Amino acid sequence: MTRYVFITGGVVSSLGKGIAAASLASLFKLRGFKVSLQKLDPYINLDPGTMSPIQHGEVFVTDDGAETDLDLGHYERFVGIRMTQDSNVTAGRVYSNVINKERKGEYLGSTVQVIPHITDEIKKLIIKGSKKSDIAFVEIGGTVGDIESLPFLESIRQFSLELGKSRAMFVHLTLLPYIEVTNEIKTKPTQHSVKELRSIGIQPDVLLCRGKNPINQKLKKKLALFTNVPETAVFSAVDAESIYDIPILFRDQKIDEFMLKQFKLKSKRLNLSPWNNYRSKAGKCKKTVKIAMIGKYVDLADSYKSLNEALYHAGIINNRLVEITYLDSEQITKASVKKLKVMDGILVPGGFGNRGIEGKILAAQYARVNKIPYLGICLGMQISVIEFARNVLKLKNANSTEFNSKTKHPVVALVDEWKDNSGKKIISDKKNMGGTMRLGSQDCTLSKDSLAYKMYEKLAINERHRHRYEVNDSLLELFNDSQLKFSGRSKKGNLMEIVELKGHPWYLGCQFHPEFTSSPISGHPLFNGFIAASKKKRKL
Ligand code: GLN
C-alpha cells in the first residue's frame, strides 16, 4: 500500500521544493523503502520542451525521452532512481487527456468539468506515477494562492480524504523572512499561506520553514498556534552550504521519524553513509579549478542546472572546487577569446539557433590550438566538427544546416539532408529524426583505442539525447586522415556520438548530454575526466 507525501510551497516561488522533496525521498530510500517522485506542474504547456531555458531553467530529459522540469534532475541525483514520462504531469497534459476522452465519448454525455473530471484525471496520473512504491513523493509546482494550482490542490485534498491520514501527508515548504533592522523573523506570510491552504480544505501535517538560520522553540510555538500544525511538526529548512547537505540537515531534526510515525510504518535503520562520505569529501576540497562555460543562456544559472551540478560532482571526485565562469558567446571575438588563456578547461554546452555560434567556434579553436581541455556537449560537439572543418581542413564555409541551410559543406545536418558524394542520394532515417528531436537514452559503441574508452572503461554505453542535427555521415570521408576521430557511434554505426582530437591532452565532444546522469556520489566518467585534465593543466 503506497503512502503519499504531497509537497506544496508557500509565500514565494523558488524555495527549493524540488530539493526538499528529493532530500526527504532520499532519507526513505536509505531506510530501504521503495520510493517514487513526481512533479505536478500547473502550466498549460504539454511539457517544458518548448520553453525558453531563460524563463524556465533547463529542460531535463529522462531515459525514456520525456522533456521535463529541472526538478526531476534533483530527484535523480538525490535518490538515484530513474524518472519516466509519468514523473512530470502538467495541466496541459491533464486537459489534453480529458479532452481526448471527451471526443471519444468516454464521459457518456455528461458535462465535462474541473470537478470531477479534471481532478479525477489528476488522481489517475498520480497513481500512475507512483508505480507500486512504498512511499510516493508528489511535488506541486507553483505557490499556494496561484489560480492555476487550484485543480491540483483540490485533487490532492480528495486523494488524502480517500486514503486517510496514515496514507497521505501534506508537507508545506514556506519562507520565514528576516527583517534586519528589527532583528526579527516574521511568521505572518506563513500564517497567511497556511490559511489559504486550509480554506481549500488542506491542513498541512508538516511545516518546513526556509530561512537563513534555524528557528527556535518560541517561533515554533507561535507557528503552531496560528497554523494548527503541532509544534513537533514544525521543522527548519536552513540555507545550506551545499544542497547535498540537506538530507543530513533534515535527518538531524528527525523529520523522517516524525513521518514514519504518522504513516505507522516500521523501518530498517537509516544508512546515511553515502551523504556523510560525500560531505566529508566535499569538506576537504580547498583548491580550485577554473572552467569557462561558453553559453547563450548565461543570465540564469538554472538554464544549465544539470551541467553545473555535473561539474561540481566531478570537482569533488577530483578533490577540487570548480569555479565556473559563464561567458556569453555573443561577446567572444578574435581579440577577446585570448582571455581564455587563464582557464583550465573550456566547455561549450548544448543550445539551439544561430545566436553566438561564431563565438563558440572561436572558443573551440582556442582550446584546440592552445591545448586547453575541451568538452563540447551536443551543440558543443557540432561546433568542434565545424571548427575543425573550417580551420584545419580549410573548408571555409563549413557549417551546420541549422545555421546556414545553403552551406557548401554541411558537416552537420538533418539526417534527411545527408547526401552521398554525388550529391544526389538522400539517406533518410525518419524513425529517429525527421524534423523532430532525437530524445532519450540510446546505445553507443566506443572504439577501443580512444579517450572515450579510457574514460568509460567499457565499449557499450548509453546516454541521453536531445537534438535534431547530426554529424553528416555522407561527408565523413573529409575527416579520414585527420586528427579528428569519431570514437563513439550509434548502434547502427551511422550516427556520430563522440568526437575527439588525437595529439591533444583532452579534447572531446559528445552528441548526447552526459550531465543528465551525473550523480554526487560517483560523478560521470566524461566530467570526471574533463576536470582531472583541467586540474593537470592548472599545475603546468
Ligand atoms: N541545435 C542542435 C541540434 O538540434 C544542438 C541541440 C543541443 O545542443 N541540445 O542538433
Side-chain angles (χ1 to χ4, degrees), residues 3-7 160 164-165 167-171 205-206 258-260 262-263:
R3 264 81 169 170
Y4 289 85
V5 179
F6 297 105
I7 297 115
S160 83
K165 246 192 159 1
R167 286 193 55 204
M169 177 183 303
F170 295 110
V171 174
D205 298 289
V206 169
F258 177 90
M259 292 169 76
L260 282 171
Q262 178 166 332
F263 280 151

Side-chain angles (χ1 to χ4, degrees), residues 40 54 83 101 118 174 240 265 279 296 366 368 444:
L40 308 181
I54 298 176
M83 297 292 117
K101 285 183 189 167
I118 293 293
T174 177
L265 277 174
R279 202 184 207 187
K296 192 166 86 167
Y366 192 84
R368 178 176 58 78
C444 165

Side-chain angles (χ1 to χ4, degrees), residues 350-352 377-379 382 402 466-469 513:
F352 294 84
I377 294 179
C378 205
L379 176 65
Q382 299 171 358
E402 180 179 9
R466 183 173 184 254
H467 56 101
R468 291 193 177 84
Y469 293 80
H513 289 270

Side-chain angles (χ1 to χ4, degrees), residues 355-408:
R355 198 156 59 80
I357 290 301
E358 296 304 320
K360 290 181 187 177
I361 292 176
L362 283 171
Q365 180 184 22
Y366 192 84
R368 178 176 58 78
V369 173
N370 296 287
K371 301 218 182 312
I372 300 178
Y374 175 87
L375 177 58
I377 294 179
C378 205
L379 176 65
M381 162 178 167
Q382 299 171 358
I383 290 288
S384 54
V385 173
I386 298 168
E387 188 280 313
F388 192 86
R390 283 191 192 176
N391 299 321
V392 180
L393 304 180
K394 303 291 176 208
L395 306 169
K396 287 272 164 286
N397 299 315
N399 215 333
S400 161
T401 54
E402 180 179 9
F403 316 127
N404 177 4
S405 58
K406 297 200 174 67
T407 171
K408 239 173 127 189

Side-chain angles (χ1 to χ4, degrees), residues 6 123 154-165 167-168 170 201:
F6 297 105
K123 286 191 275 180
E154 169 60 14
S155 301
I156 62 173
R157 181 196 68 76
Q158 293 173 15
F159 208 94
S160 83
L161 193 70
E162 287 157 22
L163 295 182
K165 246 192 159 1
R167 286 193 55 204
F170 295 110

